Amino acid sequence: WRSNVDFSIPEHIQSLCKKIRAFLEEEISPIEPQLMEKGFFAMEPLINEKRQAVKDLGMWAPHFSKEYGGMGLSLAEFAHVSEELGRSPLGHYVFNCQAPDVGNMEILHHFGTDEQKSKYLEPLVAGEIRSCFAMTEPDHPGANPTWMGTTALKEGSDYVVNGHKWFTTAADGANFTIIMAVTDPEGENKYSRASMLISPMDAEGVEFVRNISVMGEPGEGYVSHAELKFNDLRVPEDHLLGGEGAGFAIAQERLGPGRIHHCMRWIGICERVFDLMCQRAASRMVAPGKPLGTKQIVQTWLAESRAEINAARLMVLHTAWKIDKEGNYAAREEISLIKFYVADILQKVLDRAIQMHGALGMTDDTPIAWWFRHERAARIYDGPDEVHKSVVSRRILKAYDIKVS
């Protein structure tokens, strides 16, 4: 961790973040209650108007290459932007850098053929279509991407895909999916058994089972997690990504930057919620003339939250800087550290905010409860906390000649 990292924020990024904050406060925050009440599809025409406004302001796809119409920010620069966008449930979507599209853009950019880029990447970056990523399975642990039941077996010039996926985020209304499936079940190297393939969602053999109800909410559109089945789905061999057996390597390449995106988004959520906590502490009267903030326990919650958010931010920015400088592999320990640490801070801050808001915190009159429902999964997806802690501990103990199975 000892390195010459500079945590100062470049002036152009400071200016960009101010513009984003102003846009979110003026254009997006006022429509958040409607999103929670009416759902994504009812709000989609209005949301698309906001997306066009972002394009017109020159802030579209800030994470992505200028060649494709993005802003071309580095990972460390985008980290600051992702934090700002995280302050709204609509932030990343309106700026076209939401998961899973953001990860699929990166996969297609690095591993796609010219034809794949033309057919899928270009319209995805332009915001004309949405995508999803089908890896997690109900019958196999999501923390082990080397063990899957979905197969893609070669028949002539096609791969025939059969399998069962779930928690395929944003499949509802997506134009295409990237599927991770086993192409070499008997391969000696477990890391080379799986591949990634692209399939249109309307292809024969793609069965959309349902949007899974998560804590009482099935969701819709990009705010949803679908269950899918692939029944003799035929995928042409020219829809293979990065070569046969490259699935695991591509997934690992995707997850490093993806965890920066997620962690900074969580910090943005924490900052918005922290603002709400402070406003509540200053305005809620618990006795005549005495605001809630005069209570010592409330002061403790605020102080602890401030310290934890600040610490989390520095950890993530350092990791983003290291990935930019040295690549994913060199930063693999830091990537695991931020994944479980920031996810835990997010849960703590949200829980304190609900407690501080009392009955109001349980309602959808603020976005706190919405985030509490949707972000509990932060400690599970992209590797559960326990897995990341085990990975870090094994690396630490290895330096002391202790082998842990």
Side-chain angles (χ1 to χ4, degrees), residues 6-78:
D6 183 358
F7 286 113
S8 62
I9 305 174
E11 287 188 13
H12 72 284
I13 297 299
Q14 291 185 49
S15 176
L16 176 60
C17 287
K18 287 180 182 178
K19 291 179 182 177
I20 292 172
R21 175 79 65 91
F23 184 87
L24 292 177
E25 290 179 349
E26 295 168 12
E27 301 290 338
I28 305 303
S29 294
I31 68 173
E32 290 171 356
Q34 298 175 61
L35 173 71
M36 294 174 195
E37 178 185 352
K38 299 178 181 179
F40 172 76
F41 289 126
M43 294 293 295
E44 194 170 17
L46 179 57
I47 293 171
N48 286 339
E49 289 180 14
K50 305 301 183 184
R51 281 160 68 89
Q52 184 59 51
V54 171
K55 280 188 178 181
D56 294 342
L57 290 168
M59 299 189 292
W60 186 252
H63 67 292
F64 210 65
S65 167
K66 291 182 180 179
E67 175 190 357
Y68 289 90
M71 294 189 70
L73 300 184
S74 70
L75 187 59
E77 289 173 334
F78 178 65

Side-chain angles (χ1 to χ4, degrees), residues 11-283:
E11 287 188 13
H12 72 284
I13 297 299
Q14 291 185 49
S15 176
L16 176 60
C17 287
K18 287 180 182 178
K19 291 179 182 177
I20 292 172
R21 175 79 65 91
F23 184 87
L24 292 177
E25 290 179 349
E26 295 168 12
E27 301 290 338
I28 305 303
S29 294
I31 68 173
E32 290 171 356
Q34 298 175 61
L35 173 71
M36 294 174 195
E37 178 185 352
K38 299 178 181 179
F40 172 76
F41 289 126
M43 294 293 295
E44 194 170 17
L46 179 57
I47 293 171
N48 286 339
E49 289 180 14
K50 305 301 183 184
R51 281 160 68 89
Q52 184 59 51
V54 171
K55 280 188 178 181
D56 294 342
L57 290 168
M59 299 189 292
W60 186 252
H63 67 292
F64 210 65
S65 167
K66 291 182 180 179
E67 175 190 357
Y68 289 90
M71 294 189 70
L73 300 184
S74 70
L75 187 59
E77 289 173 334
F78 178 65
H80 295 286
V81 169
S82 188
E83 177 181 340
E84 286 298 330
L85 297 177
R87 295 175 66 91
S88 170
L90 281 166
H92 285 78
Y93 182 73
V94 171
F95 283 69
N96 200 32
C97 53
Q98 77 287 351
D101 287 348
V102 65
N104 288 345
M105 290 180 203
E106 291 166 353
I107 286 176
L108 286 163
H109 189 225
H110 290 296
F111 302 100
T113 64
D114 289 342
E115 288 185 6
Q116 291 168 353
K117 290 177 181 178
S118 176
K119 186 173 182 178
Y120 296 107
L121 177 60
E122 290 177 14
L124 187 62
V125 178
E128 298 167 359
I129 60 175
R130 289 192 291 105
S131 67
C132 57
F133 184 77
M135 182 171 74
T136 305
E137 300 183 353
D139 299 322
H140 296 81
N144 186 357
T146 65
W147 185 34
M148 288 184 297
T150 300
T151 58
L153 304 180
K154 196 76 177 294
E155 284 190 11
S157 59
D158 293 340
Y159 288 92
V160 180
V161 183
N162 284 281
H164 189 186
K165 302 287 188 179
W166 75 340
F167 282 90
T168 303
T169 300
D172 188 9
N175 177 272
F176 72 92
T177 180
I178 294 178
I179 307 166
M180 190 154 170
V182 176
T183 48
D184 184 11
E186 306 303 323
E188 292 185 11
N189 184 350
K190 66 179 180 180
Y191 298 108
S192 300
R193 292 173 187 162
S195 304
M196 287 193 186
L197 306 103
I198 309 169
S199 173
M201 285 293 289
D202 62 0
E204 184 178 353
V206 177
E207 179 186 352
F208 188 102
V209 179
R210 58 169 175 153
N211 279 335
I212 301 165
S213 182
V214 177
M215 294 196 176
E217 263 189 55
E220 61 180 32
Y222 89 99
V223 191
S224 64
H225 307 283
E227 180 179 0
L228 304 175
K229 289 184 178 179
F230 301 113
N231 307 304
D232 292 328
L233 167 68
R234 301 192 77 88
V235 179
E237 61 184 355
D238 63 4
H239 278 51
L240 180 70
L241 270 163
E244 193 168 296
F248 180 84
I250 295 174
Q252 293 305 302
E253 188 72 20
R254 166 196 176 109
L255 288 174
R259 285 166 184 154
I260 298 294
H261 301 164
H262 278 312
C263 288
M264 291 307 288
R265 179 174 63 83
W266 298 338
I267 291 169
I269 293 170
C270 288
E271 286 289 3
R272 173 80 178 277
V273 169
F274 185 77
D275 285 346
L276 292 171
M277 291 168 68
C278 293
Q279 293 171 22
R280 184 70 170 176
S283 62

Side-chain angles (χ1 to χ4, degrees), residues 356-383:
M356 187 180 292
H357 282 75
L360 177 63
M362 300 298 293
T363 73
D364 285 334
D365 289 357
T366 78
I368 300 171
W370 190 91
W371 273 318
F372 191 82
R373 294 192 298 273
H374 286 268
E375 299 299 343
R376 175 57 183 83
R379 292 185 53 219
I380 300 172
Y381 62 68
D382 280 3

